[in-house]
Amino acid sequence: MSTDSPDLLRSRYGAPRRDRRIGRRGWIALVAAATLLAAAFAVWVLGGQQRQPTFKDIGFQVLSEARATADFDLTKHPDDVVTCAVQALNEEYAVVGWTEVTVGALPREQLHEGRTSSHRAELRTTNLATTAVVDSCWIDERGGAA
């Protein structure tokens, strides 16, 4: 057997690899799988955003150096229990008061457009506030009482 014999080379290094190009069918399958994956991701993202509560600050009132109120509208899925963090700020935008408001299921007559309700949060403050606003709202997984 000569040193450059194909049988010797094949036994020493294995059979040569076949060309592994993706054919037309392979590309179609790859594009279809990528499209399905992108569609599933879009549905997952949009579905999650629709479930998230939203809020709108309506107004506030500074009652004294030690108290303030914040009025806000909350839009949520009717069955969700949502907690909103409300803060009072001074003129330097430092937090001088903080409270959490938990909202559960409400009677239909308290809802606007089927999903939105109005709320007032009372805050104790450490010094004079110049505003009171909702900082954030989230679905309360513990299902706290309203």
Side-chain angles (χ1 to χ4, degrees), residues 83-103:
T83 299
C84 293
V86 183
Q87 61 186 8
L89 306 172
N90 66 11
E91 58 187 19
E92 286 88 29
Y93 299 104
V95 177
V96 295
W98 178 274
T99 192
E100 291 182 353
V101 177
T102 300
V103 179

mmCIF file of all heavy atoms in Angstrom, residues 83-103:
data_model
loop_
_atom_site.group_PDB
_atom_site.id
_atom_site.type_symbol
_atom_site.label_atom_id
_atom_site.label_comp_id
_atom_site.label_asym_id
_atom_site.label_seq_id
_atom_site.Cartn_x
_atom_site.Cartn_y
_atom_site.Cartn_z
ATOM 1 N N THR A 83 -50.962 46.280 44.070
ATOM 2 C CA THR A 83 -50.435 47.188 45.085
ATOM 3 C C THR A 83 -49.736 48.338 44.377
ATOM 4 O O THR A 83 -48.961 48.118 43.439
ATOM 5 C CB THR A 83 -49.456 46.459 46.021
ATOM 6 O OG1 THR A 83 -50.157 45.405 46.683
ATOM 7 C CG2 THR A 83 -48.875 47.397 47.066
ATOM 8 N N CYS A 84 -50.026 49.561 44.831
ATOM 9 C CA CYS A 84 -49.401 50.761 44.273
ATOM 10 C C CYS A 84 -48.594 51.459 45.362
ATOM 11 O O CYS A 84 -49.074 51.627 46.481
ATOM 12 C CB CYS A 84 -50.453 51.725 43.729
ATOM 13 S SG CYS A 84 -51.343 51.106 42.296
ATOM 14 N N ALA A 85 -47.380 51.859 45.028
ATOM 15 C CA ALA A 85 -46.541 52.642 45.925
ATOM 16 C C ALA A 85 -46.789 54.116 45.634
ATOM 17 O O ALA A 85 -46.692 54.554 44.491
ATOM 18 C CB ALA A 85 -45.074 52.294 45.710
ATOM 19 N N VAL A 86 -47.140 54.862 46.678
ATOM 20 C CA VAL A 86 -47.439 56.291 46.540
ATOM 21 C C VAL A 86 -46.424 57.051 47.382
ATOM 22 O O VAL A 86 -46.144 56.667 48.521
ATOM 23 C CB VAL A 86 -48.886 56.588 47.011
ATOM 24 C CG1 VAL A 86 -49.218 58.054 46.804
ATOM 25 C CG2 VAL A 86 -49.884 55.694 46.284
ATOM 26 N N GLN A 87 -45.894 58.128 46.818
ATOM 27 C CA GLN A 87 -44.872 58.887 47.543
ATOM 28 C C GLN A 87 -45.186 60.376 47.540
ATOM 29 O O GLN A 87 -45.786 60.894 46.607
ATOM 30 C CB GLN A 87 -43.491 58.637 46.950
ATOM 31 C CG GLN A 87 -43.352 59.047 45.496
ATOM 32 C CD GLN A 87 -42.013 58.637 44.914
ATOM 33 O OE1 GLN A 87 -41.242 57.920 45.538
ATOM 34 N NE2 GLN A 87 -41.730 59.110 43.718
ATOM 35 N N ALA A 88 -44.783 61.025 48.619
ATOM 36 C CA ALA A 88 -44.861 62.482 48.713
ATOM 37 C C ALA A 88 -43.439 63.014 48.579
ATOM 38 O O ALA A 88 -42.494 62.450 49.141
ATOM 39 C CB ALA A 88 -45.452 62.893 50.060
ATOM 40 N N LEU A 89 -43.291 64.077 47.795
ATOM 41 C CA LEU A 89 -41.975 64.641 47.535
ATOM 42 C C LEU A 89 -41.931 66.091 48.004
ATOM 43 O O LEU A 89 -42.947 66.796 47.960
ATOM 44 C CB LEU A 89 -41.669 64.595 46.037
ATOM 45 C CG LEU A 89 -41.792 63.237 45.352
ATOM 46 C CD1 LEU A 89 -41.660 63.398 43.847
ATOM 47 C CD2 LEU A 89 -40.753 62.277 45.884
ATOM 48 N N ASN A 90 -40.743 66.547 48.418
ATOM 49 C CA ASN A 90 -40.588 67.965 48.771
ATOM 50 C C ASN A 90 -40.088 68.732 47.544
ATOM 51 O O ASN A 90 -39.975 68.171 46.452
ATOM 52 C CB ASN A 90 -39.681 68.140 49.997
ATOM 53 C CG ASN A 90 -38.243 67.734 49.738
ATOM 54 O OD1 ASN A 90 -37.821 67.499 48.608
ATOM 55 N ND2 ASN A 90 -37.463 67.635 50.811
ATOM 56 N N GLU A 91 -39.782 70.000 47.708
ATOM 57 C CA GLU A 91 -39.409 70.796 46.536
ATOM 58 C C GLU A 91 -38.076 70.389 45.927
ATOM 59 O O GLU A 91 -37.794 70.728 44.779
ATOM 60 C CB GLU A 91 -39.438 72.295 46.846
ATOM 61 C CG GLU A 91 -38.553 72.744 47.964
ATOM 62 C CD GLU A 91 -38.792 74.208 48.309
ATOM 63 O OE1 GLU A 91 -39.839 74.758 47.950
ATOM 64 O OE2 GLU A 91 -37.901 74.781 48.948
ATOM 65 N N GLU A 92 -37.258 69.638 46.646
ATOM 66 C CA GLU A 92 -36.006 69.099 46.079
ATOM 67 C C GLU A 92 -36.208 67.705 45.492
ATOM 68 O O GLU A 92 -35.255 67.018 45.164
ATOM 69 C CB GLU A 92 -34.898 69.045 47.142
ATOM 70 C CG GLU A 92 -34.305 70.395 47.491
ATOM 71 C CD GLU A 92 -35.094 71.082 48.601
ATOM 72 O OE1 GLU A 92 -35.690 70.380 49.443
ATOM 73 O OE2 GLU A 92 -35.119 72.319 48.612
ATOM 74 N N TYR A 93 -37.451 67.258 45.404
ATOM 75 C CA TYR A 93 -37.825 65.931 44.898
ATOM 76 C C TYR A 93 -37.331 64.794 45.794
ATOM 77 O O TYR A 93 -37.218 63.658 45.345
ATOM 78 C CB TYR A 93 -37.348 65.712 43.457
ATOM 79 C CG TYR A 93 -37.942 66.705 42.508
ATOM 80 C CD1 TYR A 93 -37.174 67.766 42.026
ATOM 81 C CD2 TYR A 93 -39.263 66.622 42.121
ATOM 82 C CE1 TYR A 93 -37.713 68.699 41.168
ATOM 83 C CE2 TYR A 93 -39.820 67.555 41.262
ATOM 84 C CZ TYR A 93 -39.040 68.591 40.792
ATOM 85 O OH TYR A 93 -39.579 69.520 39.948
ATOM 86 N N ALA A 94 -37.082 65.085 47.040
ATOM 87 C CA ALA A 94 -36.734 64.041 48.006
ATOM 88 C C ALA A 94 -38.034 63.442 48.544
ATOM 89 O O ALA A 94 -39.026 64.146 48.733
ATOM 90 C CB ALA A 94 -35.913 64.618 49.153
ATOM 91 N N VAL A 95 -38.021 62.144 48.788
ATOM 92 C CA VAL A 95 -39.210 61.466 49.317
ATOM 93 C C VAL A 95 -39.368 61.836 50.783
ATOM 94 O O VAL A 95 -38.468 61.608 51.591
ATOM 95 C CB VAL A 95 -39.090 59.933 49.142
ATOM 96 C CG1 VAL A 95 -40.284 59.238 49.765
ATOM 97 C CG2 VAL A 95 -38.957 59.570 47.673
ATOM 98 N N VAL A 96 -40.534 62.412 51.120
ATOM 99 C CA VAL A 96 -40.815 62.790 52.509
ATOM 100 C C VAL A 96 -42.002 62.013 53.067
ATOM 101 O O VAL A 96 -42.370 62.187 54.229
ATOM 102 C CB VAL A 96 -41.050 64.314 52.649
ATOM 103 C CG1 VAL A 96 -39.775 65.081 52.317
ATOM 104 C CG2 VAL A 96 -42.208 64.785 51.777
ATOM 105 N N GLY A 97 -42.597 61.141 52.246
ATOM 106 C CA GLY A 97 -43.692 60.297 52.695
ATOM 107 C C GLY A 97 -43.874 59.136 51.717
ATOM 108 O O GLY A 97 -43.598 59.280 50.522
ATOM 109 N N TRP A 98 -44.323 57.993 52.250
ATOM 110 C CA TRP A 98 -44.446 56.797 51.412
ATOM 111 C C TRP A 98 -45.537 55.913 51.985
ATOM 112 O O TRP A 98 -45.631 55.747 53.200
ATOM 113 C CB TRP A 98 -43.121 56.041 51.416
ATOM 114 C CG TRP A 98 -43.122 54.774 50.638
ATOM 115 C CD1 TRP A 98 -43.502 53.535 51.072
ATOM 116 C CD2 TRP A 98 -42.712 54.595 49.293
ATOM 117 N NE1 TRP A 98 -43.359 52.607 50.075
ATOM 118 C CE2 TRP A 98 -42.874 53.240 48.965
ATOM 119 C CE3 TRP A 98 -42.226 55.466 48.322
ATOM 120 C CZ2 TRP A 98 -42.561 52.717 47.717
ATOM 121 C CZ3 TRP A 98 -41.914 54.944 47.081
ATOM 122 C CH2 TRP A 98 -42.079 53.588 46.784
ATOM 123 N N THR A 99 -46.357 55.340 51.126
ATOM 124 C CA THR A 99 -47.342 54.352 51.552
ATOM 125 C C THR A 99 -47.632 53.424 50.386
ATOM 126 O O THR A 99 -47.309 53.735 49.233
ATOM 127 C CB THR A 99 -48.637 55.011 52.077
ATOM 128 O OG1 THR A 99 -49.435 54.024 52.724
ATOM 129 C CG2 THR A 99 -49.440 55.633 50.960
ATOM 130 N N GLU A 100 -48.215 52.290 50.707
ATOM 131 C CA GLU A 100 -48.655 51.352 49.680
ATOM 132 C C GLU A 100 -50.161 51.179 49.788
ATOM 133 O O GLU A 100 -50.691 51.069 50.897
ATOM 134 C CB GLU A 100 -47.953 50.003 49.829
ATOM 135 C CG GLU A 100 -46.480 50.067 49.495
ATOM 136 C CD GLU A 100 -45.794 48.717 49.585
ATOM 137 O OE1 GLU A 100 -46.418 47.738 50.029
ATOM 138 O OE2 GLU A 100 -44.619 48.646 49.194
ATOM 139 N N VAL A 101 -50.836 51.166 48.647
ATOM 140 C CA VAL A 101 -52.278 50.979 48.579
ATOM 141 C C VAL A 101 -52.531 49.690 47.819
ATOM 142 O O VAL A 101 -52.048 49.530 46.690
ATOM 143 C CB VAL A 101 -52.960 52.163 47.841
ATOM 144 C CG1 VAL A 101 -54.444 51.926 47.702
ATOM 145 C CG2 VAL A 101 -52.666 53.464 48.558
ATOM 146 N N THR A 102 -53.282 48.754 48.436
ATOM 147 C CA THR A 102 -53.602 47.487 47.791
ATOM 148 C C THR A 102 -55.063 47.504 47.361
ATOM 149 O O THR A 102 -55.942 47.832 48.153
ATOM 150 C CB THR A 102 -53.326 46.308 48.740
ATOM 151 O OG1 THR A 102 -51.934 46.331 49.101
ATOM 152 C CG2 THR A 102 -53.633 44.983 48.074
ATOM 153 N N VAL A 103 -55.298 47.160 46.101
ATOM 154 C CA VAL A 103 -56.644 47.178 45.526
ATOM 155 C C VAL A 103 -56.941 45.792 44.966
ATOM 156 O O VAL A 103 -56.206 45.286 44.122
ATOM 157 C CB VAL A 103 -56.759 48.230 44.400
ATOM 158 C CG1 VAL A 103 -58.156 48.223 43.799
ATOM 159 C CG2 VAL A 103 -56.381 49.605 44.912
#
